[in-house]
Short mmCIF file of all heavy atoms in Angstrom, two decimals:
data_model
loop_
_atom_site.label_atom_id
_atom_site.label_comp_id
_atom_site.label_asym_id
_atom_site.label_seq_id
_atom_site.Cartn_x
_atom_site.Cartn_y
_atom_site.Cartn_z
N TYR L 63 129.92 76.88 106.22
CA TYR L 63 129.55 76.53 104.85
C TYR L 63 130.79 76.16 104.06
O TYR L 63 131.87 76.71 104.29
CB TYR L 63 128.84 77.71 104.17
CG TYR L 63 128.57 77.52 102.70
CD1 TYR L 63 127.55 76.68 102.26
CD2 TYR L 63 129.33 78.17 101.74
CE1 TYR L 63 127.30 76.50 100.91
CE2 TYR L 63 129.10 78.01 100.39
CZ TYR L 63 128.07 77.16 99.98
OH TYR L 63 127.83 76.99 98.63
N ALA L 64 130.62 75.26 103.11
CA ALA L 64 131.65 74.95 102.12
C ALA L 64 130.96 74.72 100.79
O ALA L 64 129.88 74.13 100.72
CB ALA L 64 132.43 73.69 102.52
N THR L 65 131.56 75.20 99.70
CA THR L 65 130.95 75.03 98.38
C THR L 65 131.08 73.58 97.92
O THR L 65 132.01 72.88 98.28
CB THR L 65 131.61 75.95 97.33
OG1 THR L 65 133.02 75.70 97.31
CG2 THR L 65 131.34 77.41 97.63
N PHE L 66 130.12 73.15 97.13
CA PHE L 66 130.11 71.82 96.53
C PHE L 66 130.22 71.99 95.01
O PHE L 66 129.34 72.61 94.40
CB PHE L 66 128.82 71.09 96.89
CG PHE L 66 128.60 69.79 96.15
CD1 PHE L 66 129.36 68.69 96.43
CD2 PHE L 66 127.65 69.71 95.15
CE1 PHE L 66 129.17 67.49 95.73
CE2 PHE L 66 127.44 68.53 94.46
CZ PHE L 66 128.21 67.42 94.75
N GLN L 67 131.29 71.50 94.44
CA GLN L 67 131.50 71.53 92.99
C GLN L 67 131.25 72.92 92.40
O GLN L 67 130.58 73.08 91.38
CB GLN L 67 130.64 70.48 92.30
CG GLN L 67 130.97 69.08 92.72
CD GLN L 67 130.10 68.04 92.04
OE1 GLN L 67 129.11 68.35 91.40
NE2 GLN L 67 130.47 66.79 92.20
N SER L 68 131.75 73.94 93.05
CA SER L 68 131.65 75.33 92.61
C SER L 68 130.22 75.87 92.53
O SER L 68 129.98 76.90 91.90
CB SER L 68 132.33 75.52 91.24
OG SER L 68 133.69 75.17 91.34
N THR L 94 132.42 81.33 97.74
CA THR L 94 133.64 81.36 98.55
C THR L 94 133.63 82.47 99.59
O THR L 94 134.28 82.35 100.63
CB THR L 94 134.90 81.48 97.66
OG1 THR L 94 134.77 82.64 96.85
CG2 THR L 94 135.08 80.25 96.79
N ALA L 97 131.98 80.78 102.42
CA ALA L 97 132.68 79.58 102.89
C ALA L 97 133.51 79.85 104.14
O ALA L 97 134.13 80.90 104.27
CB ALA L 97 133.57 79.03 101.78
N THR L 98 133.48 78.89 105.04
CA THR L 98 134.23 78.98 106.30
C THR L 98 135.29 77.90 106.42
O THR L 98 135.88 77.73 107.48
CB THR L 98 133.26 78.90 107.50
OG1 THR L 98 132.55 77.66 107.44
CG2 THR L 98 132.28 80.06 107.50
N ASN L 99 135.51 77.16 105.34
CA ASN L 99 136.50 76.07 105.36
C ASN L 99 137.76 76.44 104.57
O ASN L 99 138.50 75.56 104.13
CB ASN L 99 135.90 74.79 104.78
CG ASN L 99 135.69 74.88 103.28
OD1 ASN L 99 135.53 75.97 102.73
ND2 ASN L 99 135.68 73.74 102.60
N GLY L 100 137.99 77.72 104.35
CA GLY L 100 139.14 78.16 103.58
C GLY L 100 138.85 78.30 102.10
O GLY L 100 139.73 78.60 101.31
N GLY L 101 137.59 78.09 101.69
CA GLY L 101 137.19 78.27 100.29
C GLY L 101 137.39 77.07 99.40
O GLY L 101 137.17 77.15 98.20
N THR L 102 137.77 75.94 99.97
CA THR L 102 138.00 74.73 99.19
C THR L 102 136.67 74.08 98.82
O THR L 102 135.81 73.89 99.68
CB THR L 102 138.84 73.72 100.00
OG1 THR L 102 140.04 74.36 100.39
CG2 THR L 102 139.14 72.49 99.19
N ASN L 103 136.49 73.73 97.53
CA ASN L 103 135.31 72.98 97.12
C ASN L 103 135.38 71.58 97.72
O ASN L 103 136.45 70.98 97.77
CB ASN L 103 135.24 72.84 95.60
CG ASN L 103 134.82 74.12 94.92
OD1 ASN L 103 133.99 74.85 95.44
ND2 ASN L 103 135.38 74.39 93.76
N VAL L 104 134.24 71.07 98.17
CA VAL L 104 134.18 69.70 98.69
C VAL L 104 133.26 68.88 97.79
O VAL L 104 132.43 69.43 97.06
CB VAL L 104 133.70 69.68 100.16
CG1 VAL L 104 134.68 70.43 101.06
CG2 VAL L 104 132.31 70.26 100.31
N ASN L 105 133.40 67.59 97.83
CA ASN L 105 132.61 66.70 96.99
C ASN L 105 131.63 65.85 97.77
O ASN L 105 131.21 64.79 97.30
CB ASN L 105 133.54 65.80 96.15
CG ASN L 105 134.31 66.61 95.13
OD1 ASN L 105 133.73 67.46 94.46
ND2 ASN L 105 135.59 66.38 95.04
N PHE L 108 128.73 68.86 103.55
CA PHE L 108 129.58 69.56 104.52
C PHE L 108 128.95 69.54 105.90
O PHE L 108 127.79 69.92 106.07
CB PHE L 108 129.80 71.00 104.06
CG PHE L 108 130.57 71.84 105.04
CD1 PHE L 108 131.92 71.62 105.26
CD2 PHE L 108 129.95 72.87 105.73
CE1 PHE L 108 132.64 72.40 106.15
CE2 PHE L 108 130.65 73.66 106.62
CZ PHE L 108 132.01 73.43 106.83
N ASN L 143 125.69 73.07 98.91
CA ASN L 143 126.00 72.38 100.15
C ASN L 143 125.26 72.99 101.33
O ASN L 143 124.59 74.02 101.21
CB ASN L 143 127.51 72.39 100.40
CG ASN L 143 128.01 71.06 100.93
OD1 ASN L 143 127.31 70.39 101.67
ND2 ASN L 143 129.22 70.69 100.56
#
Side-chain angles (χ1 to χ4, degrees):
Y63 172 75
T65 56
F66 171 72
Q67 298 179 349
S68 300
T94 56
T98 59
N99 71 334
T102 304
N103 285 323
V104 298
N105 292 316
F108 175 70
N143 221 326

